[in-house]
């Protein structure tokens, strides 16, 4: 039984991220012995994942005009056998997401970052033609929050490009040890409220 509002919020986050709690020993998802994991995909293919860092030096970032436009993209695809399991997110991404959602006192960053996934690194793509689906997470959220959907679509024969936009999530890790935070959040929060028009 969930005993506090904070525990309820943590459980809601786990459900929102589609991460069922397994081996639960107490009511709090942050308790020792609780492991979060992505459900197994329902399609017939194994799932592979590659990560791309895309930079367009000819475009400026809409939130930080001094920076080039760059994206992090996780590409999920139907695969044959693969290598190691793909990581869910970095510990820093998890820390920033939990702080942004006000759940950092309930779920530990390492626990969220350590969520078990079904996609494999260095996997061999399945042959044939596969339609492309492009997914973008909701404002402030890291692309990892759509992992369940991406893995399931890939297991059913789709190639999925899961996009993180720089400066639009609570935290996204980029090559070179950079983790970019949500500049857009501060811009939106500081904007004056919109007035409703009379009809």
């Amino acid at each position: 039984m969930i005993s506090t509002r904070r525990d309820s919020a943590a459980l809601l986050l786990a459900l929102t991220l589609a991460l069922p709690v397994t081996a639960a020993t107490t009511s709090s998802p942050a308790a020792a012995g609780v492991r979060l994991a992505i459900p197994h995909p329902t399609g017939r293919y194994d799932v592979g994942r590659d990560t791309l860092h895309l930079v367009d030096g000819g475009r400026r970032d809409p939130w930080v005009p001094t920076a080039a436009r760059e994206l992090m993209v996780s590409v999920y695809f139907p695969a044959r056998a693969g290598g190691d399991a793909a990581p869910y997110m970095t510990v820093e991404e998890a820390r920033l997401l939990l702080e942004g959602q006000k759940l950092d006192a309930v779920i530990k960053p390492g626990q969220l970052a350590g969520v078990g996934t079904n996609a494999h690194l260095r996997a061999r793509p399945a042959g044939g033609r596969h339609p492309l689906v492009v997914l973008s997470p909701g404002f402030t959220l890291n692309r990892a929050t759509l992992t369940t959907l991406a893995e399931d679509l890939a297991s059913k024969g789709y190639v999925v490009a899961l996009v993180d936009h720089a400066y639009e999530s609570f935290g996204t890790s980029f090559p070179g040890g950079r983790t970019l935070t949500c500049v857009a959040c501060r811009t939106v929060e500081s904007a004056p409220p919109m007035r409703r028009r009379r009809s």
Side-chain angles (χ1 to χ4, degrees):
M1 177 176 178
I2 302 300
S3 58
T4 68
R5 280 188 179 181
R6 206 168 267 285
D7 286 346
S8 297
L11 182 58
L12 180 61
L13 174 65
L15 293 173
T16 300
L17 304 181
L19 308 173
V21 177
T22 60
T25 57
T26 75
S27 62
S28 172
V34 175
R35 184 173 186 274
L36 303 175
I38 301 290
H40 194 75
T42 59
R44 65 188 181 93
Y45 291 101
D46 286 335
V47 178
R49 192 188 86 187
D50 284 333
T51 302
L52 307 175
H53 175 219
L54 305 178
V55 181
D56 185 346
R59 293 180 63 197
R60 299 292 89 192
D61 188 273
W63 304 108
V64 181
T66 57
R69 186 67 168 137
E70 59 183 326
L71 307 171
M72 291 301 297
V73 181
S74 293
V75 180
Y76 294 80
F77 54 90
R80 298 171 187 169
D84 298 333
Y88 182 61
M89 63 170 54
T90 68
V91 174
E92 183 65 2
E93 288 172 332
R95 182 185 70 78
L96 291 166
L97 175 61
L98 292 169
E99 286 179 0
Q101 295 287 331
K102 309 282 191 275
L103 292 171
D104 49 309
V106 183
I107 301 176
K108 297 182 188 309
Q111 184 182 21
L112 184 58
V115 162
T117 69
N118 302 288
H120 297 278
L121 303 175
R122 296 176 297 283
R124 290 172 44 210
R129 295 165 62 94
H130 304 281
L132 173 67
V133 177
V134 178
L135 297 178
S136 180
F139 185 59
T140 74
L141 298 179
N142 182 285
R143 69 189 187 280
T145 59
L146 292 177
T147 298
T148 300
L149 178 57
E151 288 187 348
D152 200 57
L153 286 169
S155 79
K156 294 177 178 177
Y158 294 88
V159 173
V160 181
L162 186 46
V163 182
D164 250 340
H165 307 275
Y167 306 109
E168 292 183 20
S169 75
F170 287 127
T172 299
S173 294
F174 282 77
R178 296 178 301 141
T179 299
L180 305 183
T181 57
C182 193
V183 174
C185 298
R186 297 191 291 273
T187 303
V188 169
E189 288 169 1
S190 64
M194 293 181 64
R195 294 182 180 178
R196 292 184 65 183
R197 289 185 181 178
R198 293 183 182 177
S199 52

